Amino acid sequence: MEPAIPISVIIMTRNEAANIANCLIPLARFAQVLVVDSHSEDGTSAIAATRGAEVLSFHWNGRYPKKKQWSLSHPAIRQDWVLFVDADERVTPELVVELAALMRTGPQAAAYFIDSRPQWLGRVLRHGTPYRKIALLNRRHARFPVCPDLHVARMWEVEGHYQPIIDGPVGRLSSVMIHADAKPPADWFDRHNRYSDWEAALAHGGGAAALLAGERGVRRLAKRLLAALPGRPLLAFLHAYLWHLGFLDGKAGLHHAMSRAFYYWSIDLKRDWLAVTGTTSQSDISGALVSDAADQPALALSSGSPASVFTSSNVRRRTDSSGIR
């Protein structure tokens, strides 16, 4: 029998019964597989336990730290090296082999980027916009920045579209994960509608700089430039469909490129709408209360399960999905 790979895999879930089993199948070789679940009502926790994963319940108190940082700091984590995998992601056999070799020889960096290939219409795309995130990290040298987003009506319990801050060099692995969400397109639209609410509120309120806290070098410059350019939706489409040869993926590649354009258009429209109406977030219109001073970021790891916050009128529990895509 091959030795266990000394990595703790963390999968954050809420109502991921459609995805969790397929996510767990490739993870048998890792020393620890931990599903951090937020009160799923579809049997996610039971499926995870049946598949051999450890299940840890997460009760968000409406403040920072959010779910990823809370998980990194939790005493249940047995390994220093952590691999974050979304419930709708699949670790490829090639990536398992590469991670085993990396741990055997000893990592030379404090964290690593891992590319992800999306699956559209049942087809894993080979072209189009590359997705890349810091998914493997040494938790002793990583932390997720606090983002000024607690006032956003549709914000949620998981850190958003930004990288962790790494104390040390960052490398990149050559193998990939597959993003293969089994949920229907309606779920994609709902999820990205909330994501664009969040990004628009940050852009309008001057909090977008927090999204770059964990970026470095060319990536940081490119993200700053993209945020400032006019016609961003069209540029996103051309970047995916022409520059990265998305048209070679056929109809699936076209849909993917259009989804990129639609997402950036949604952000820009909502940002401009907030500017015209003079509001700070959609909470000002929807009737949800903006967080008061008591809801400002608290960096200490929460202990216990403060269920009382869920009955508070100024905390809205938004956990329909586990991550941002």
Side-chain angles (χ1 to χ4, degrees), residues 30-111:
F30 292 90
Q32 182 181 28
V33 178
L34 185 64
V35 171
V36 184
D37 187 67
S38 301
H39 319 289
S40 289
E41 300 171 347
D42 64 351
T44 297
S45 295
I47 296 172
T50 301
R51 295 281 178 168
E54 301 174 38
V55 179
L56 182 66
S57 294
F58 175 70
H59 305 272
W60 188 45
N61 63 4
R63 306 178 184 182
Y64 277 88
K66 290 190 178 183
K67 200 170 185 177
K68 288 183 179 179
Q69 184 60 49
W70 185 90
S71 298
L72 279 183
S73 306
H74 200 280
I77 306 300
R78 296 196 294 269
Q79 306 294 326
D80 284 343
W81 282 91
V82 167
L83 176 66
F84 278 108
V85 179
D86 291 342
D88 55 7
E89 289 179 322
R90 313 289 176 258
V91 174
T92 59
E94 296 79 9
L95 181 56
V96 173
V97 171
E98 184 173 6
L99 289 170
L102 179 67
M103 293 295 111
R104 186 169 56 249
T105 59
Q108 300 300 306

Side-chain angles (χ1 to χ4, degrees), residues 84-85 89-91 95 114-117 135 176-179:
F84 278 108
V85 179
E89 289 179 322
R90 313 289 176 258
V91 174
L95 181 56
I114 298 178
D115 289 7
S116 176
R117 290 182 181 172
V176 303
M177 288 193 281
I178 303 299
H179 176 241

Side-chain angles (χ1 to χ4, degrees), residues 11 16-28 47-48 51 85-92 119 178 180-183:
I11 308 165
E16 290 289 353
N19 289 309
I20 191 61
N22 288 332
C23 178
L24 291 171
I25 289 172
L27 304 177
I47 296 172
R51 295 281 178 168
V85 179
D86 291 342
D88 55 7
E89 289 179 322
R90 313 289 176 258
V91 174
T92 59
Q119 178 176 292
I178 303 299
D181 193 356
K183 297 177 181 178

Side-chain angles (χ1 to χ4, degrees), residues 210-239:
L211 305 184
L212 300 177
E215 300 288 359
R216 303 181 181 186
V218 175
R219 278 179 58 93
R220 184 183 182 93
L221 179 61
K223 286 179 176 288
R224 291 178 67 95
L225 180 62
L226 179 62
L229 286 176
R232 188 166 59 157
L234 177 59
L235 292 174
F237 175 84
L238 296 175
H239 181 257

Side-chain angles (χ1 to χ4, degrees), residues 45-273:
S45 295
I47 296 172
T50 301
R51 295 281 178 168
E54 301 174 38
V55 179
L56 182 66
S57 294
F58 175 70
H59 305 272
W60 188 45
N61 63 4
R63 306 178 184 182
Y64 277 88
K66 290 190 178 183
K67 200 170 185 177
K68 288 183 179 179
Q69 184 60 49
W70 185 90
S71 298
L72 279 183
S73 306
H74 200 280
I77 306 300
R78 296 196 294 269
Q79 306 294 326
D80 284 343
W81 282 91
V82 167
L83 176 66
F84 278 108
V85 179
D86 291 342
D88 55 7
E89 289 179 322
R90 313 289 176 258
V91 174
T92 59
E94 296 79 9
L95 181 56
V96 173
V97 171
E98 184 173 6
L99 289 170
L102 179 67
M103 293 295 111
R104 186 169 56 249
T105 59
Q108 300 300 306
Y112 290 86
F113 279 99
I114 298 178
D115 289 7
S116 176
R117 290 182 181 172
Q119 178 176 292
W120 281 73
L121 301 180
R123 177 175 180 171
V124 177
L125 304 187
R126 301 187 61 83
H127 306 282
T129 302
Y131 294 96
R132 188 174 303 153
K133 65 179 180 179
I134 296 176
L136 178 69
L137 50 85
N138 186 321
R139 66 191 185 106
R140 307 294 181 186
H141 300 282
R143 64 189 185 281
F144 285 88
V146 171
C147 185
D149 62 357
L150 295 182
H151 69 289
V152 182
R154 302 228 298 167
M155 48 81 70
W156 55 95
E157 62 177 22
V158 182
E159 290 85 349
H161 243 164
Y162 47 84
Q163 305 295 341
I165 297 173
I166 306 298
D167 298 326
V170 178
R172 179 186 174 190
L173 301 184
S174 59
S175 304
V176 303
M177 288 193 281
I178 303 299
H179 176 241
D181 193 356
K183 297 177 181 178
D187 184 81
W188 185 94
F189 280 103
D190 178 67
R191 188 165 66 246
H192 285 77
N193 190 34
R194 291 188 292 108
Y195 298 164
S196 58
D197 279 358
W198 174 75
E199 289 206 43
L202 287 178
H204 172 65
L211 305 184
L212 300 177
E215 300 288 359
R216 303 181 181 186
V218 175
R219 278 179 58 93
R220 184 183 182 93
L221 179 61
K223 286 179 176 288
R224 291 178 67 95
L225 180 62
L226 179 62
L229 286 176
R232 188 166 59 157
L234 177 59
L235 292 174
F237 175 84
L238 296 175
H239 181 257
Y241 197 64
L242 297 181
W243 181 259
H244 282 283
L245 307 179
F247 62 89
L248 294 178
D249 284 315
K251 183 182 293 185
L254 175 62
H255 283 301
H256 173 251
M258 292 179 66
S259 76
R260 298 286 296 171
F262 173 80
Y263 180 59
Y264 282 111
W265 171 78
S266 299
I267 296 171
D268 291 351
L269 171 64
K270 293 175 181 180
R271 178 201 61 203
D272 294 343
W273 180 85

